[in-house]
Amino acid sequence: MPRFKLTIEYDGRPFVGMQAQKNGPSVQAALEAAIKAYCQADVRIGVAGRTDTGVHARAMAVHADIPRNDTPETVMAAVNAKLRPQPIAVLEAQAVADDFHARFGCVGRSYGYHIINRRAPITYNQGLAWHVPQALDLAAMQTAADHLVGQHDFTTFRHVHCQAKSPIKTLNRLSVEHSGEAIWVYADARSFLHSQVRSMVGCLVLVGRGHWSPDDMKAALEAKDRAALGYNAPPDGLYFLKAHYPEN
Amino acid sequence: MPRFKLTIEYDGRPFVGMQAQKNGPSVQAALEAAIKAYCQADVRIGVAGRTDTGVHARAMAVHADIPRNDTPETVMAAVNAKLRPQPIAVLEAQAVADDFHARFGCVGRSYGYHIINRRAPITYNQGLAWHVPQALDLAAMQTAADHLVGQHDFTTFRHVHCQAKSPIKTLNRLSVEHSGEAIWVYADARSFLHSQVRSMVGCLVLVGRGHWSPDDMKAALEAKDRAALGYNAPPDGLYFLKAHYPEN
């Protein structure tokens, strides 16, 4: 049966997250329902990242076996037609090998976290960014971020419900960039613990506000204790940006 | 009574437009209610631009007489507190002369129109941009736009309910810019006719899709007839960007 890799964008606001759950609409359930409406088959998708309630995606990767001899263009258009008017879109469909797996084949994940740093409340970005009204010291935030880059035990930055076998992860990039009032924190790793990006960003903002020094971030990391976490950033600003595979 | 200039951002989606109307919530009514809640007075605001239903603003200018001896910072914070949770924010408050008038003193208005040009539907930008799935020839659009720059009778691009005395306006800039799938059309003039920007953008997209040549835009302008209008773009993509005054 032809396997396709689908690149997906979604607005996380109306969803309980990527994974199908009993307590509300999920992106996975919406995608599987759209595929079923298109090809009359129960298709289970695999996903590169299991985003939480309210978290967005610019280019999530999923795979699905589609029991039709359709071109990628047809698959993309048909699934998009069935997804409407939900805020989920297939940006691209590619035919892939039968053993391609969106989760297990993924060798890198990129997240972005969007902060709007200004005194005034935010308007059209409500739910799409974290509004931080206090002045932020971006240089201090970057110094603190540098303490987290590399291979570490990230227990402090791990959600209590995290199901990963090991708390040891290798963070390849954690950079704080800005343009006017818009700040983006970029995080790259092979994989992340549950809530890791939001936990790191929450503590970076503590540093930016002067409540923590960059050394406090190092101490929190070395504590290897969830109780040492300073703050967990809200889901609003978090975007799954890209899933990396050896072939692309 | 101290007069203040307020710079306002808003998400136009929940509003019937800037002006107070009987058929739904307006930005003006929301602002006047917030000012009343703050200073217990009926204050009538003046506005630089009367945006339509669903049109947004990044930096609209309004003026209001505030019967309190408060600093601009206090005025901004107090009005923002009373506006919550509506998607309207005061970005800045400035004390101005008693004869400052946001509408009659405004010597230039800048609009931006946001198009997302890609096959896939849009998600988190729904209501915040115009989704155009067909390929667009941006160079042809700019050539067509150049025909509209300057002083002309813009009757073709004027809403039937437009209340302006004259259809003659001077368009200082109409530029088509893009970055990836994001296209912005920027329009600058001292003032615009009702629906002028949306009408110009709708016809520019006809040119981009190849339905019109750039010369067809010139012919539409010269027809001076609303019936010659090709297409009126939806409000979703339109943003009032800035009001210009001699003093700043």
Side-chain angles (χ1 to χ4, degrees), chain A residues 9-11 13 58 73 76-77 80 84-91 118-124 126 128, chain B residues 9-11 13 58 73 76-77 80 84-91 118-124 126 128:
Chain A
E9 178 186 280
Y10 53 85
D11 177 346
R13 285 175 288 186
R58 291 277 172 89
E73 289 69 29
M76 172 181 158
N80 277 332
R84 281 178 201 274
Q86 300 167 98
I88 307 175
V90 181
L91 303 182
R118 69 180 195 190
R119 280 186 59 206
I122 60 175
T123 66
Y124 55 88
Q126 286 176 11
L128 296 173
Chain B
E9 178 186 281
Y10 52 86
D11 177 347
R13 286 176 288 187
R58 292 276 173 90
E73 290 68 29
M76 172 180 158
N80 277 333
R84 282 180 200 274
Q86 301 168 97
I88 307 175
V90 180
L91 303 182
R118 68 180 196 190
R119 281 186 57 207
I122 60 175
T123 66
Y124 55 87
Q126 286 177 11
L128 296 173

Side-chain angles (χ1 to χ4, degrees), chain A residues 1-4 63 65 95-101:
Chain A
M1 200 183 308
R3 178 164 287 196
F4 288 89
H63 76 261
D65 294 325
V96 290
D98 286 352
D99 63 351
F100 173 86
H101 196 288

Side-chain angles (χ1 to χ4, degrees), chain B residues 222-243:
Chain B
E222 290 171 352
K224 299 174 193 169
D225 180 357
R226 184 67 176 171
L229 180 76
Y231 197 80
N232 198 32
D236 312 48
L238 187 57
Y239 293 76
F240 185 99
L241 293 185
K242 192 169 167 57

Side-chain angles (χ1 to χ4, degrees), chain A:
Chain A
M1 200 183 308
R3 178 164 287 196
F4 288 89
K5 175 189 170 197
L6 307 178
T7 304
I8 309 289
E9 178 186 280
Y10 53 85
D11 177 346
R13 285 175 288 186
F15 302 106
V16 297
M18 168 53 89
Q19 268 194 302
Q21 292 181 49
K22 287 179 182 159
N23 63 332
S26 68
V27 176
Q28 181 183 351
L31 280 166
E32 290 175 351
I35 294 169
K36 184 168 187 176
Y38 149 49
C39 61
Q40 285 79 50
D42 286 304
V43 171
R44 193 72 194 270
I45 64 167
V47 306
R50 290 175 292 179
T51 56
D52 271 346
T53 304
V55 172
H56 319 288
R58 291 277 172 89
M60 173 62 74
V62 312
H63 76 261
D65 294 325
I66 306 282
R68 296 271 288 251
N69 283 316
D70 285 336
T71 63
E73 289 69 29
T74 299
V75 170
M76 172 181 158
V79 177
N80 277 332
K82 301 299 185 188
L83 281 168
R84 281 178 201 274
Q86 300 167 98
I88 307 175
V90 181
L91 303 182
E92 191 182 9
Q94 292 170 267
V96 290
D98 286 352
D99 63 351
F100 173 86
H101 196 288
R103 181 174 174 199
F104 300 118
C106 182
V107 295
R109 292 162 172 92
S110 298
Y111 280 92
Y113 194 99
H114 187 28
I115 294 167
I116 297 182
N117 185 216
R118 69 180 195 190
R119 280 186 59 206
I122 60 175
T123 66
Y124 55 88
N125 276 318
Q126 286 176 11
L128 296 173
W130 182 19
H131 174 227
V132 177
Q134 300 87 0
L136 293 176
D137 180 340
L138 300 179
M141 289 170 71
Q142 186 60 62
T143 302
D146 292 343
H147 287 308
L148 302 180
V149 173
Q151 181 178 295
H152 301 289
D153 179 330
F154 283 98
T155 296
T156 302
F157 303 92
R158 175 187 197 177
H159 194 283
V160 289
H161 294 136
C162 181
Q163 295 170 0
K165 284 177 192 149
S166 163
I168 296 174
K169 294 288 176 187
T170 301
L171 185 63
N172 297 314
R173 177 190 186 201
L174 189 63
S175 62
V176 181
E177 304 186 7
H178 82 110
S179 170
E181 67 187 26
I183 296 171
W184 279 91
V185 179
Y186 293 105
D188 291 351
R190 184 177 181 97
S191 62
F192 290 91
L193 298 168
H194 187 178
S195 274
Q196 187 181 343
V197 179
R198 287 168 55 191
S199 296
M200 295 189 300
V201 170
C203 294
L204 284 177
V205 167
L206 286 184
V207 173
R209 292 178 60 182
H211 293 306
W212 273 20
S213 70
D215 282 347
D216 289 335
M217 181 72 92
K218 189 160 182 277
L221 175 69
E222 290 172 352
K224 300 172 192 171
D225 180 356
R226 183 68 176 169
L229 181 76
Y231 197 80
N232 199 33
D236 312 48
L238 186 59
Y239 293 76
F240 186 99
L241 292 185
K242 191 168 168 61
H244 305 265
Y245 297 91
E247 54 269 33
N248 58 25

